[in-house]
Amino acid sequence: MVEPPRILREFHSETLASYRTVPEARIIAMIALAGWAFELEEPDVVWRAGAALQAWVDLGLPFNMGHGGQRMFDPVETWITMKRLGCEDRDAYFHHHYVETGRRLVTDQRSTASGKPFRAEIRRSFNLAGRVPGRKCRFRLPIPIERVHAHRQIEAFGDPFDSAALVISPDRLELHCAPIGHTLTLGARCSFLA
C-alpha cells in the first residue's frame, strides 16, 4: 500500500473509525451521482465509481468491516480523501468527474437563466456534542470561488455570532468563535454569474 499523505494520516484516527458506518454500495452510489450525474444510465457508471473508491482505498482511505464482511466507510472521510488526492494530483476523479459534473450543473442552470444571477443558499450545521462548551473553534463553509464567478455577493446567516469573527475568503466562510450550545449553524446566501 502507498503511504498516505501527512494530512490523511492526521485526519484518519481511531476516533473517526466510529463514523465508518455507511455500506460500500451507498458510498459507490454517492460517488456515481457526484461524478457522473448526467451519465447515470450508462451501464459502467457503477463499476467506474467502484474503481474510484478502490483507488482511494489503495492510497490510504480507511474502512471498517461490517457484518457479513462488507466494507463500511465514513462519507465525510471519503470526500476529504477524494478532494485531497485530487488537489495533490494523485487521483483524477476530483478534477475529471466531480468538478466537471458540478460545473456542468451550473452551466446548465446558467443557460436557462438568460444572464440572470445564479442564487444558492448553503447551510451547514455542526454537531458540537463532543466539544467542551465555550472552547474556541473554527467553522468553515464552502462558497462559490471568487475568481471563477463574476459579481459574487455573499450574505452570511445562521446562529447569532459576532460579525468581526467571520472571514469571507475567496472560497469559504470561516467563523472563529466559542460556541456554548450543542449545535451551530452557519449559512450563506450566494449570488453570482456562472
Side-chain angles (χ1 to χ4, degrees):
M1 176 164 82
V2 176
E3 178 69 16
R6 181 184 57 82
I7 188 75
L8 295 182
R9 289 194 308 271
E10 291 173 4
F11 180 76
H12 305 310
S13 71
E14 292 309 310
T15 304
L16 296 177
S18 64
Y19 293 105
R20 297 179 194 133
T21 59
V22 179
E24 182 171 1
R26 291 193 62 198
I27 295 295
I28 289 172
M30 177 180 78
I31 294 166
L33 180 61
W36 293 278
F38 297 96
E39 296 89 20
L40 287 176
E41 299 301 318
E42 292 182 12
D44 67 340
V45 166
V46 171
W47 179 87
R48 288 189 282 169
L53 179 61
Q54 185 57 50
W56 304 337
V57 167
D58 293 344
L59 290 168
L61 175 64
F63 57 88
N64 289 346
M65 293 305 290
H67 300 294
Q70 69 176 328
R71 298 192 300 185
M72 309 293 278
F73 294 88
D74 173 2
V76 173
E77 189 174 43
T78 301
W79 256 191
I80 289 171
T81 300
M82 174 266 298
K83 289 180 180 181
R84 177 61 56 196
L85 292 172
C87 289
E88 293 175 351
D89 291 326
R90 297 181 69 207
D91 184 76
Y93 172 86
F94 178 68
H95 293 291
H96 295 289
H97 301 291
Y98 179 80
V99 170
E100 289 301 319
T101 296
R103 287 181 178 156
R104 184 170 172 194
L105 288 167
V106 172
T107 302
D108 285 359
Q109 175 66 30
R110 178 181 63 187
S111 67
T112 61
S114 303
K116 294 179 182 176
F118 183 78
R119 298 184 196 292
E121 185 173 293
I122 305 165
R123 178 188 322 249
R124 182 178 275 178
S125 294
F126 299 89
N127 180 350
L128 307 174
R131 297 205 179 260
V132 177
R135 181 175 168 205
K136 195 164 190 168
C137 300
R138 177 179 62 188
F139 302 95
R140 290 180 170 173
L141 179 74
I143 58 176
I145 299 173
E146 187 174 46
R147 67 180 163 78
V148 174
H149 303 291
H151 308 290
R152 183 186 78 164
Q153 296 178 350
I154 305 295
E155 175 193 349
F157 69 90
D159 293 337
F161 56 83
D162 178 7
S163 60
L166 181 73
V167 175
I168 300 177
S169 299
D171 64 345
R172 67 179 168 265
L173 294 181
E174 195 164 301
L175 176 64
H176 296 267
C177 67
I180 55 173
H182 292 289
T183 61
L184 181 132
T185 299
L186 179 62
R189 289 182 189 90
C190 310
S191 173
F192 56 92
L193 296 178

